[in-house]
Amino acid sequence: VWWQPKGKEGRWLEVLGCGMVDPNVLKNVGIDPEKYVGYAFGMGVERTAMLKYGIGDIRILFDNDKRFLTQF
Amino acid sequence: MKISLNWLNDYINLKDISLEDILDKLTYAGLEVEEVEDHAKNYENMIVGFVVEAKKHPNADKLSLCKVSDGKEEFNVVCGAPNVATGQKVVFAKVGSIIPNGKFKIEKAKIRGEVSFGMLCSERELNISDNHDGIMVLNPSLKEGTPIAEALEMNDVVLEIAITPNRADALSHIGIARDLSALFNLPLKYPEIKLNESGKKSNELASVEIVDVENCPRYVGKVVTNVSIKESPDWLKKKIKSIGLRPINNVVDVTNFILHEVGQPLHAFDLDKLNGKKIIVRSAGNDTKFTTLDSKERNLQSKDLMICDAKRAVAIAGVMGGENSEVTESTKNILIESAFFNPSSVRKTAKNLGLSTDASYRFERGTDPNITLWAAKRAAQLIQETAGGEISFGEIDEYPKPIIKRSTKLRFSRLDQILGYHIENREVENILLSLGFEINDNSKDELNVNIPSYRHDVEREIDLIEEVARIYGYNKIPEVSKISVTLEEKVDHSAFDDKVRVVLNSLGFYEIIANSLLSEETANRFGKPIHVMNPQSSEMSHLRPSLLPGMLTTISNNLKVNEKDLQLFEIGKVFEQLSETKIKSFDDFKENEQLLLIVTGNSIRTEWFEKDRAFDIHDMKGLVSSFLNNLLPGVTIADNYSENDFAFLDYSFEIVADGKNLGNCGKLKKEICSLFDINQDVFLFQTNLNEIKQIPIPKKAFKDLLKFPKVYRDCAFVLDSNIRSDQVSEVIKENGSNLLHNVKLFDIFQSESLGSGKKSLAYQLEYYDPAKTLTEEEIEKVFSKTVKSVEQKFNAQLRGA
């Protein structure tokens, strides 16, 4: 996504990774990769939450500090 | 990794491509450009100026007043240099430019009464050298108006590219140029090698023996004799500096240059320092110490691959050369080493030494075994060019087991299937060819492709498909705006968990998330933890058998920041090993979803209407029953004092729903609290969520409202202090008759006046009959029976009877 806070310079921000599932992965779980192909994508909710609420350090989401917990 | 655009142009002509386009295409092809240093920007608004006239400043002895032309206009410029003169070509920094050295901005200024529209610069001001004796006088052939960056060739653009670990082939200028040649359909040009060989043959002047063939599959050596070690020529220094490296001397710079040119790390030995003029490639064995060329002593492991001469080690293979054989000012004869080392061997050695060099970085990721010969020749040629000397005939090439060419097929139909988009066969072939793949065989259905030896990341058909797609451009594959998916109805477990969260939130609890991995020591205290196969660290080596340690750490952290009053919960998976030996099947371990609630600190903080009150077990019991009553409406919840010596609890209550034991609620033992630096009481409730989920919720049915009044009777008993109130209420209930519907303890009184070791428990008994109003006699009858049974059972006395 193009991330541009008001009045600041914008930049491209990676928000999720995606792609075609490697045939080896399908084979290892017993699915014939010749018959089936897969598409996968995943997004970290932490990054999006940080952008939405203006949280600067990702570790704060896992510190479990009461002063953080009571804010949401 | 830094890449200079000017340097790239040696291998591919990018003059007609915009910088924008290069950055975009590289990034989209997987070589992400993170930073761009546009050197020309540093010299914006600075041009070649022509001094039309230079005369003395009327009001200052040491200053000159000049008329400088930019080819279109003339400007008045005051200059303080002693060497400025009419007719010179100079560096004219116009108003608005920023002087690189010092970063100060040039403004229109009045100097001793004369207006000056700019400045003439010295080399130091341009960061070219330390010379500040006078202004920089340029070659008269330069045209006025030319931007300085162009005129002085300081217009390089240096890219910082993030190379992913799979693209070892892209760790050099030619590597990047190759991808660019595929992306822009431009030819890739390798430098030409024209050797001027004379004298003896390399294999007469030196010899190589590979003992450890597995870790050194190929070793190429070439000799150059009679060299003079000195400063590198300008072109070589410039290239080295352009990517942020420091020039050392001609021979060393040549080896560094080739590493960054084609990705083949080279090493130059002083041949005269090699005993027996021999190279032996073997493992360190009993050698335990080695001094590298940075004068640091290193500790070796016996499996480290070493380059040795006939007597001793002279280099750590693929990582760093030794002090005992390095090229110095007095070196005359060089042995160039150009080898292919086993990536995992170099990686292990570098890791053990805690060393990472440009060379080891590349060897670890896999270099090209087939470029070794070319690189050695290139080095010989450049060394002769820059250091003189004689290149010996031929090379030593120890390559006992030549690596077999790999090939794989690519079916066009499979390409279509994976991309969901058709790329013309011709174009597919062209893309592969431009990346260095060879087409062995082609038909209308498939290609048989040889994989170049520098692409360690390509093995299978799917890898070829990836190459085609990324060079073709993922952006060019059109979007599909609709897809249809069949959905399967699955039981949604999260809805239940969310309800748990909402109920707990409204009771004042906050949710935490703790790590499911713990250190072995901590995990062992709370159950039989499962060891993880590839732990990230010793702090995360075992799966948690309980939610307690994570919660206690959280409490501890909060206490440290002065948050002492806490109501917290966590919903999470816990794991326990069931089998004595390694886990082989699902039967050997169990995995459960648990809920842990804790309260600690003050339940009530000092308000104007009441004082602090700390949480106690009754608060916890109350919160747990509110929670369960809300979650399981209509289900009977009871708590029974538990005699179980729970490992962690001082005392506890079993919480029972519908006869099923849901978990224990109690006070955490002080020893466990101190393990986590917690010096206040902690009360907890632990339960298995899967079990709660299974408790059936009774259908709501209306119960007729009582038409007749309830009757209450109070009684207080004096009895031994050690008798529990729930024991007494049990007896009351058992002997209360079916008219008794509720028993409530409303007072506990302890005092010496009752007798030593005695206390008083007061109960309110609630009676009613849904069919009629009860009479005094009826109540009196059942009441006295109840009282008698208590008196008898506990040797108690009714108070104030």
Side-chain angles (χ1 to χ4, degrees):
Chain A
V1 294
W2 180 251
W3 172 248
Q4 184 153 23
K6 235 188 220 146
K8 298 214 177 117
E9 240 186 73
R11 59 193 182 98
W12 284 103
L13 208 59
E14 282 171 28
V15 288
L16 67 78
C18 60
M20 297 302 294
V21 176
D22 189 309
N24 271 350
V25 172
L26 293 173
K27 197 160 74 144
N28 285 339
V29 294
I31 296 175
D32 183 356
E34 290 294 314
K35 278 222 216 90
Y36 295 97
V37 289
Y39 181 73
F41 58 100
M43 173 166 162
V45 293
E46 293 85 9
R47 177 81 90 81
T48 320
M50 286 169 71
L51 288 175
K52 177 169 178 174
Y53 297 115
I55 301 172
D57 189 337
I58 201 174
R59 291 170 294 184
I60 237 184
L61 293 168
F62 300 98
D63 279 339
N64 299 317
D65 190 320
K66 184 181 170 185
R67 299 168 299 177
F68 169 74
L69 298 174
T70 51
Q71 287 190 36
F72 293 99
Chain B
M1 186 189 64
K2 286 200 194 311
I3 292 284
S4 144
L5 238 45
N6 280 353
W7 187 338
L8 271 184
N9 271 291
D10 285 354
Y11 316 110
I12 179 175
N13 187 349
L14 299 169
K15 296 275 158 50
D16 297 325
I17 317 262
S18 75
L19 179 60
E20 198 77 49
D21 226 355
I22 294 174
L23 302 181
D24 268 355
K25 278 229 158 70
L26 274 178
T27 299
Y28 289 134
L31 301 167
E32 189 185 342
V33 179
E34 289 181 324
E35 258 178 62
V36 180
E37 277 170 41
D38 189 344
H39 291 177
K41 270 211 161 63
N42 295 339
Y43 304 104
E44 232 170 342
N45 278 322
M46 296 193 217
I47 51 139
V48 174
F50 175 65
V51 183
V52 175
E53 180 193 69
K55 58 177 194 214
K56 276 223 155 314
H57 189 298
N59 305 328
D61 274 346
K62 297 219 172 106
L63 301 179
S64 312
L65 187 56
C66 309
K67 273 209 197 13
V68 180
S69 159
D70 70 355
K72 294 197 204 117
E73 287 178 65
E74 274 180 18
F75 298 83
N76 276 340
V77 180
V78 174
C79 178
N83 64 331
V84 63
T86 308
Q88 283 173 338
K89 293 275 172 64
V90 293
V91 178
F92 176 31
K94 289 182 163 185
V95 170
S97 57
I98 300 177
I99 301 298
N101 191 331
K103 298 239 181 292
F104 64 90
K105 197 161 181 206
I106 301 293
E107 316 268 2
K108 180 174 112 182
K110 218 178 196 172
I111 303 174
R112 298 289 196 96
E114 294 290 337
V115 186
S116 177
F117 292 89
M119 186 176 120
L120 304 183
C121 303
S122 69
E123 285 191 0
R124 189 172 78 187
E125 278 153 349
L126 299 172
N127 276 338
I128 290 175
S129 81
D130 282 334
N131 193 329
H132 193 59
D133 296 339
I135 54 163
M136 197 176 166
V137 179
L138 303 173
N139 193 317
S141 65
L142 289 173
K143 192 158 184 268
E144 54 264 42
T146 313
I148 277 299
E150 196 186 305
L152 297 178
E153 290 180 7
M154 297 187 301
N155 57 358
D156 202 358
V157 175
V158 177
L159 311 178
E160 178 69 60
I161 308 182
I163 311 282
T164 46
N166 62 326
R167 292 301 305 278
D169 67 294
L171 289 171
S172 64
H173 283 76
I174 288 183
I176 298 287
R178 187 183 301 117
D179 257 34
L180 284 171
S181 88
L183 288 165
F184 290 104
N185 210 0
L186 292 170
L188 174 69
K189 201 180 62 170
Y190 271 75
E192 211 191 317
I193 305 222
K194 264 221 287 268
L195 289 181
N196 181 2
E197 291 168 316
S198 62
K200 293 213 165 118
K201 292 200 245 185
S202 284
N203 61 14
E204 286 173 334
L205 297 168
S207 65
V208 172
E209 182 193 333
I210 305 179
V211 174
D212 190 345
V213 178
E214 198 192 318
N215 287 324
C216 175
R218 188 173 194 179
Y219 194 103
V220 169
K222 193 161 176 66
V223 176
V224 182
T225 52
N226 230 346
V227 301
S228 312
I229 304 299
K230 47 187 190 298
E231 209 183 322
S232 291
D234 281 343
W235 72 263
L236 183 53
K237 283 200 286 190
K238 195 165 183 195
K239 283 229 157 50
I240 297 283
K241 284 201 277 194
S242 71
I243 52 169
L245 298 175
R246 216 175 27 105
I248 315 244
N249 62 47
N250 43 15
V251 168
V252 172
D253 292 349
V254 163
T255 58
N256 278 340
F257 170 74
I258 294 176
L259 181 152
H260 287 279
E261 174 175 70
V262 82
Q264 171 62 22
L266 299 173
H267 185 68
F269 289 104
D270 182 331
L271 183 56
D272 298 321
K273 297 196 186 135
L274 297 179
N275 287 299
K277 307 270 191 272
K278 189 178 169 140
I279 291 281
I280 301 174
V281 186
R282 61 164 171 82
S283 51
N286 292 329
D287 293 347
T288 51
K289 294 212 183 290
F290 185 71
T291 306
T292 42
L293 46 73
D294 53 0
S295 304
K296 290 208 174 89
E297 195 182 55
R298 311 279 176 180
N299 291 321
L300 305 174
Q301 313 258 357
S302 62
K303 286 215 184 101
D304 289 338
L305 190 68
M306 305 297 289
I307 310 295
C308 311
D309 65 19
K311 287 214 176 94
R312 71 230 159 119
V314 291
I316 305 177
V319 182
M320 199 183 267
E323 202 177 49
N324 57 11
S325 55
E326 67 171 321
V327 163
T328 62
E329 290 175 339
S330 52
T331 300
K332 285 272 121 215
N333 302 311
I334 308 263
L335 172 65
I336 300 162
E337 165 192 286
S338 178
F340 175 70
F341 297 115
N342 183 338
S344 55
S345 163
V346 174
R347 189 182 314 126
K348 283 196 192 103
T349 300
K351 184 162 182 219
N352 287 333
L353 293 171
L355 256 187
S356 181
T357 58
D358 278 348
S360 69
Y361 193 85
R362 284 158 180 78
F363 281 125
E364 282 174 9
R365 286 157 171 75
T367 55
D368 182 6
N370 288 335
I371 200 74
T372 44
L373 219 44
W374 185 94
K377 292 182 188 172
R378 175 91 166 132
Q381 179 174 335
L382 289 178
I383 288 177
Q384 189 183 56
E385 241 178 66
T386 59
E390 283 141 32
I391 304 176
S392 51
F393 279 101
E395 301 75 37
I396 302 164
D397 186 4
E398 284 302 308
Y399 192 17
K401 284 203 233 148
I403 296 169
I404 307 167
K405 227 175 218 184
R406 294 173 297 141
S407 65
T408 189
K409 69 169 165 28
L410 170 60
R411 295 164 292 172
F412 292 116
S413 60
R414 182 69 167 155
L415 182 62
D416 284 357
Q417 185 193 26
I418 297 289
L419 298 184
Y421 178 72
H422 182 73
I423 301 176
E424 286 307 317
N425 296 4
R426 263 282 67 197
E427 184 153 11
V428 173
E429 283 179 42
N430 283 338
I431 289 176
L432 292 174
L433 286 169
S434 62
L435 287 172
F437 293 85
E438 286 163 6
I439 314 267
N440 257 338
D441 197 10
N442 59 355
S443 71
K444 65 173 171 52
D445 295 323
E446 63 182 46
L447 297 173
N448 201 304
V449 176
N450 281 344
I451 302 166
S453 49
Y454 46 80
R455 294 303 300 267
H456 296 274
D457 60 314
V458 175
E459 260 175 34
R460 310 162 290 160
E461 181 184 48
I462 192 77
D463 300 321
L464 290 179
I465 295 177
E466 181 184 10
E467 288 304 289
V468 172
R470 77 177 179 90
I471 297 293
Y472 181 78
Y474 285 116
N475 281 351
K476 289 192 359 217
I477 299 177
E479 281 166 25
V480 168
S481 60
K482 269 206 274 212
I483 54 168
S484 68
V485 181
T486 14
L487 297 173
E488 238 182 58
E489 173 108 48
K490 277 191 103 171
V491 177
D492 188 3
H493 294 289
S494 62
F496 182 83
D497 285 2
D498 282 345
K499 179 143 197 242
V500 168
R501 292 184 169 99
V502 168
V503 175
L504 288 174
N505 260 163
S506 56
L507 288 171
F509 286 87
Y510 286 96
E511 182 174 10
I512 69 157
I513 304 174
N515 204 335
S516 356
L517 295 167
L518 307 164
S519 71
E520 178 166 18
E521 198 196 330
T522 313
N524 267 321
R525 270 210 196 93
F526 294 93
K528 265 186 85 182
I530 296 173
H531 184 81
V532 168
M533 264 172 77
N534 249 351
Q536 270 203 358
S537 74
S538 56
E539 290 304 304
M540 305 220 287
S541 58
H542 287 71
L543 285 169
R544 65 183 170 194
S546 152
L547 296 178
L548 263 181
M551 178 64 82
L552 293 173
T553 307
T554 298
I555 296 176
S556 176
N557 289 342
N558 272 289
L559 292 180
K560 287 195 186 108
V561 292
N562 230 352
E563 288 292 337
K564 300 200 162 101
D565 308 321
L566 306 165
Q567 268 181 263
L568 303 172
F569 75 94
E570 182 172 13
I571 297 176
K573 290 256 166 79
V574 299
F575 311 83
E576 217 163 350
Q577 178 144 353
L578 295 173
S579 68
E580 286 302 320
T581 54
K582 247 168 71 156
I583 293 180
K584 292 202 185 82
S585 76
F586 285 106
D587 295 328
D588 295 335
F589 74 97
K590 61 177 168 142
E591 180 181 316
N592 278 320
E593 190 176 36
Q594 263 198 8
L595 166 67
L596 172 65
L597 308 181
I598 63 101
V599 297
T600 183
N602 284 322
S603 146
I604 297 178
R605 298 307 305 287
T606 312
E607 299 285 351
W608 57 268
F609 51 84
E610 59 191 314
K611 290 208 162 35
D612 274 359
R613 183 177 75 72
F615 276 116
D616 59 31
I617 188 64
H618 305 286
D619 288 305
M620 194 49 170
K621 273 211 299 155
L623 287 165
V624 171
S625 43
S626 299
F627 166 61
L628 291 173
N629 280 323
N630 221 295
L631 207 60
L632 307 170
V635 175
T636 326
I637 314 284
D639 52 80
N640 304 324
Y641 183 72
S642 170
E643 300 276 69
N644 288 341
D645 178 26
F646 227 52
F648 320 107
L649 303 177
D650 261 346
Y651 51 78
S652 72
F653 290 90
E654 242 171 34
I655 308 293
V656 176
D658 238 15
K660 194 171 184 186
N661 182 357
L662 290 183
N664 281 58
C665 163
K667 180 171 141 187
L668 197 58
K669 284 203 164 113
K670 234 192 172 70
E671 306 94 79
I672 313 256
C673 289
S674 3
L675 281 178
F676 290 85
D677 289 332
I678 299 171
N679 52 10
Q680 49 188 64
D681 288 339
V682 176
F683 301 93
L684 63 82
F685 170 61
Q686 229 170 208
T687 181
N688 188 329
L689 273 184
N690 298 69
E691 298 201 1
I692 297 192
K693 273 182 209 171
Q694 310 207 355
I695 296 179
I697 314 271
K699 250 178 120 168
K700 275 202 186 12
F702 173 67
K703 274 208 280 241
D704 255 316
L705 306 177
L706 267 191
K707 292 192 175 62
F708 306 98
K710 292 183 183 173
V711 181
Y712 296 93
R713 282 282 185 276
D714 292 346
C715 52
F717 299 95
V718 178
L719 33 62
D720 288 338
S721 302
N722 60 7
I723 297 172
R724 291 190 335 255
S725 69
D726 66 295
Q727 291 172 296
V728 180
S729 34
E730 264 316 300
V731 172
I732 295 178
K733 282 187 202 158
E734 277 162 25
N735 294 284
S737 86
N738 57 4
L739 295 178
L740 177 68
H741 291 273
N742 203 9
V743 179
K744 187 174 154 145
L745 175 73
F746 70 85
D747 189 44
I748 303 177
F749 178 62
Q750 249 172 316
S751 148
E752 280 303 309
S753 63
L754 295 175
S756 73
K758 296 281 188 194
K759 70 180 175 190
S760 157
L761 298 176
Y763 293 89
Q764 179 188 76
L765 278 59
E766 181 186 289
Y767 296 95
Y768 64 79
D769 186 334
K772 62 181 175 55
T773 313
L774 292 168
T775 65
E776 261 309 307
E777 296 91 53
E778 285 171 310
I779 295 168
E780 200 41 49
K781 193 161 152 218
V782 294
F783 182 62
S784 42
K785 179 159 177 269
T786 309
V787 167
K788 269 208 182 60
S789 58
V790 173
E791 284 176 324
Q792 267 173 2
K793 180 90 197 239
F794 299 105
N795 198 15
Q797 266 175 305
L798 188 67
R799 269 177 88 188

